[in-house]
Amino acid sequence: MPDASAHYLDPALLIVDMQNDFVRVGAPLEVPDARATLPAHARLIAAFRARGLPVVYTKFLSTEEPSLLWTWSPQCTPPVCLCRRGVSRTYGDADGPLDCTDVVTEIYPEPEDLIIEKYGYGGFHGTSLSDRLRQKGVRSLVVTGTVTQICVEDTARGAFHHGFRTTMVEDAVSSFAPELHAATLKNFAMKFGWVDSSAAVVAALGA
């Protein structure tokens, strides 16, 4: 196991796809466990902001033209149009229609936060995320969000390949498949980075 003493060196918090179409009740690709991670997200966001450290959000957008995403996530196709720019819908836990691509209000970005839009699973593929992080002096990432074995994993592995020391937060990532969630965390900790609790991350920032 690599030395973990510096894995929170110049960190940023990277929140993956905590959007209405994944988190809200009755969403087209609802991940109910994502709502259970909101308190951990709030603690992490508060800790990072209190220390003036970057908070970064990714937003998944579905393509408007047919693509491989349509094959593997048919909810991207009409009439549902999952995470389609310009589409609003109603959810079981919200008053009135919401922008389906937007981050949930419980952990909504502040004006100074960085938001990266992506047309795929990984936050680094085809985006400016790596360059933007390096401009901010970031050397390590704390990764949260949904879905653990899809967009979170692809983003966290991308961070590894871009040279960022990366930690996945076990109580701030979520999935619709518990066995895949557990396997992803185990595999990531073996070969790509660290897995910690939100409490351990907050304590490390305080130290």
Side-chain angles (χ1 to χ4, degrees):
M1 180 68 174
D3 175 27
S5 60
H7 68 288
Y8 296 121
L9 188 64
D10 298 324
L13 178 61
L14 179 56
I15 301 167
V16 178
D17 299 0
M18 289 291 286
Q19 297 162 256
N20 291 322
D21 259 3
F22 300 119
V23 180
R24 298 266 69 102
V25 172
L29 278 184
E30 181 186 2
V31 184
D33 284 353
R35 293 190 291 277
T37 70
L38 289 171
H41 272 96
R43 288 192 296 272
L44 289 164
I45 291 168
F48 272 77
R49 287 184 177 150
R51 292 159 178 80
L53 297 169
V55 178
V56 183
Y57 294 77
T58 70
K59 292 172 66 174
F60 173 85
L61 299 176
S62 62
T63 59
E64 296 187 9
E65 300 297 328
S67 69
L68 281 175
L69 284 174
W70 288 28
T71 301
W72 299 108
S73 294
Q75 295 88 349
C76 291
T77 67
V80 176
C81 298
L82 171 83
C83 287
R84 177 78 63 87
R85 194 190 301 276
V87 173
S88 296
R89 70 177 96 253
T90 56
Y91 304 91
D93 57 346
D95 295 327
L98 300 174
D99 180 342
C100 71
T101 72
D102 215 355
V103 175
V104 294
T105 55
E106 293 91 332
I107 56 168
Y108 204 75
E110 296 288 345
E112 66 272 17
D113 296 335
L114 176 61
I115 299 174
I116 296 292
E117 296 181 340
K118 59 189 177 68
Y119 287 92
Y121 300 137
F124 289 89
H125 181 71
T127 75
S128 62
L129 178 56
S130 181
D131 289 341
R132 301 290 296 277
L133 291 172
R134 296 194 193 284
Q135 288 168 6
K136 293 178 176 291
V138 172
R139 288 193 280 176
S140 65
L141 290 173
V142 173
V143 179
T144 69
T146 202
V147 173
T148 307
Q149 75 276 8
I150 307 174
C151 293
V152 173
E153 180 182 22
D154 203 10
T155 298
R157 288 190 182 210
F160 166 83
H161 290 301
H162 281 82
F164 295 98
R165 299 169 70 87
T166 304
T167 299
M168 290 176 63
V169 184
E170 59 191 357
D171 57 328
V173 294
S174 55
S175 174
F176 50 80
E179 70 282 5
L180 295 179
H181 169 87
T184 297
L185 294 178
K186 183 176 180 179
N187 190 57
F188 188 81
M190 286 178 64
K191 290 294 182 183
F192 297 96
W194 293 267
V195 175
D196 262 341
S197 67
S198 60
V201 174
V202 172
L205 294 180

